């Protein structure tokens, strides 16, 4: 039973280390006793939910204005989309929001963000293609401060091919933000794509080195990927999981619910 369970967990993207531990926890005290498939699923769901419970935390909202949220992640992970959805939710909750299109190298990313901003009814600050994203971040914070905005959401580039450049770029953004507000950014949210599986673990490691990641969002949980790697992430890093992306539309960003997630994962 234990081996079958381990295999099941590994195939669900929990990673070897976490799978072995979860299986061992479930098996503990149950040796020599037959466990039905339903009972096993329930035990597994409870164990997964237990691991995820402490990290299921919505993006904290601080009284200080503007709250600066830096959004990082590899290209294609869903940063732009998540910013659009988040802006829409914050706006609906009565917050005034400014977006900075900080991936100044990808014209498509800037255009896409402008469309999201329109949909959400939130202004999007842009700069010329190829211009310094730190300068844009600085101007966006100045504007958010001048307007007394509640939140500033900053998109960033996600080119992992050259980690040195990425590191420098993010460090510079943080440096200029701090000139205007020593506490900024208040949150650095890493966006991960559920379909990348175990690769998400490497991405957290890389981005933790280049930015002080304070929380995660996992996107594309509406597809075939069940996002089992979140269990491994919680086990290894303990970073808060703020929300999950469940589609491409503006309302498709949900709070992370460990019980629901565990039930979906264990079938
Ligand atoms: P970025 O490069 O990190 O800014 O990624 P984008 O926001 O442009 O997203 C890349 C692609 O993933 C787009 O086609 C999005 O529509 C899609 N996407 C983002 N989030 C989700 C999600 O939660 N579910 C699904 N199905 N697609 C998503």
């Amino acid at each position: 039973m234990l081996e079958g369970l381990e295999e099941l967990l590994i195939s669900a993207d929990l990673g070897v280390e976490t799978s072995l531990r979860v299986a061992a926890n479930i098996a503990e005290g149950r040796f020599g006793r037959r466990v039905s498939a339903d009972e096993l699923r329930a035990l597994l769901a409870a164990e997964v939910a237990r691991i995820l419970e402490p990290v299921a935390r919505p993006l904290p909202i601080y009284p200080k204005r503007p709250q600066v949220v830096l959004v990082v992640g590899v290209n294609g992970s869903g940063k732009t989309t998540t910013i659009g959805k988040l802006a829409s939710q914050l706006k609906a909750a009565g917050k005034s929001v400014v977006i900075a299109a900080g991936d100044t190298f990808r014209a498509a990313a800037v255009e896409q963000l402008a469309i999201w901003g329109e949909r959400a009814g939130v202004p999007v600050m842009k700069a010329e293609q190829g211009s310094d994203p730190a300068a844009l971040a600085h101007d966006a914070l100045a504007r958010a401060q001048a307007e007394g905005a509640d939140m500033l959401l900053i998109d960033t580039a996600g080119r992992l091919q050259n980690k040195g450049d990425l590191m420098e770029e993010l460090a510079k953004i943080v440096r200029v933000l701090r000139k205007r507000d020593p506490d900024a950014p208040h949150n650095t949210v890493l966006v991960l794509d559920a379909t990348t599986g175990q690769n998400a673990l490497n991405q957290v490691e890389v981005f933790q080195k280049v930015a002080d990641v304070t929380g995660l969002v996992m996107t594309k949980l509406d597809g075939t990927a069940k996002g089992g790697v979140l269990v491994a992430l919680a086990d290894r890093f303990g970073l808060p999981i703020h929300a999950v992306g469940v589609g491409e539309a503006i309302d498709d960003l949900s709070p992370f619910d460990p019980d629901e997630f565990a039930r979906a994962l264990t079938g």
Side-chain angles (χ1 to χ4, degrees):
M1 169 197 91
L2 189 58
E3 263 175 40
L5 186 56
E6 286 166 358
E7 257 167 53
L8 177 83
L9 295 174
I10 291 168
S11 71
D13 248 344
L14 267 74
V16 175
E17 217 178 290
T18 306
S19 294
L20 297 186
R21 186 157 41 244
V22 168
N25 283 352
I26 290 173
E28 205 180 283
R30 293 193 178 85
F31 283 115
R33 193 159 75 74
R34 287 201 75 80
V35 180
S36 73
D38 279 349
E39 205 183 333
L40 186 59
R41 248 198 306 277
L43 287 168
L44 184 55
E47 176 66 11
V48 166
R50 190 188 64 77
I51 294 172
L52 292 172
E53 198 66 52
V55 297
R57 300 258 162 75
L59 182 73
I61 303 293
Y62 304 114
K64 187 168 179 199
R65 293 192 303 177
Q67 178 174 338
V68 180
V69 182
L70 194 63
V71 181
V72 301
V74 302
N75 287 342
S77 62
K79 285 186 300 294
T80 308
T81 310
T82 300
I83 289 174
K85 293 171 178 175
L86 191 57
S88 166
Q89 282 187 0
L90 291 165
K91 185 90 194 292
K95 306 269 175 211
S96 54
V97 183
V98 174
I99 293 174
D103 188 354
T104 58
F105 283 88
R106 284 195 309 163
V110 176
E111 268 165 39
Q112 210 192 340
L113 206 47
I115 294 169
W116 279 111
E118 241 167 66
R119 280 187 203 144
V122 165
V124 177
M125 290 218 24
K126 295 177 268 187
E128 255 171 56
Q129 190 172 1
S131 65
D132 184 356
L136 175 69
H138 176 273
D139 292 351
L141 180 52
R143 171 175 171 176
Q145 285 173 331
E147 291 180 359
D150 295 308
M151 311 281 295
L152 170 62
L153 310 180
I154 305 177
D155 195 12
T156 60
R159 297 175 302 274
L160 270 193
Q161 295 82 344
N162 190 335
K163 286 180 203 156
D165 280 358
L166 183 73
M167 196 178 308
E168 241 171 63
E169 189 168 306
L170 288 174
K172 192 171 171 200
I173 291 174
V174 169
R175 216 162 48 234
V176 300
L177 287 172
R178 290 201 173 137
K179 278 198 183 143
R180 294 206 66 92
D181 178 350
D183 297 328
H186 303 85
N187 313 88
T188 300
V189 177
L190 172 60
V191 177
L192 299 166
D193 175 342
T195 65
T196 61
Q198 290 296 296
N199 198 358
L201 291 160
N202 302 332
Q203 289 177 17
V204 174
E205 252 169 36
V206 169
F207 277 94
Q208 274 199 320
K209 277 185 203 140
V210 302
D212 185 13
V213 176
T214 58
L216 308 173
V217 168
M218 178 154 276
T219 63
K220 309 185 196 180
L221 275 177
D222 50 306
T224 48
K226 288 183 176 172
V229 70
L230 276 183
V231 185
L233 288 167
D235 195 33
R236 170 116 54 108
F237 300 101
L239 285 164
I241 302 165
H242 295 317
V244 291
V246 291
E248 295 185 89
I250 198 153
D251 292 327
D252 292 335
L253 185 71
S254 304
F256 179 59
D257 179 336
D259 288 320
E260 193 188 309
F261 179 88
R263 274 197 304 273
L265 187 71
T266 53

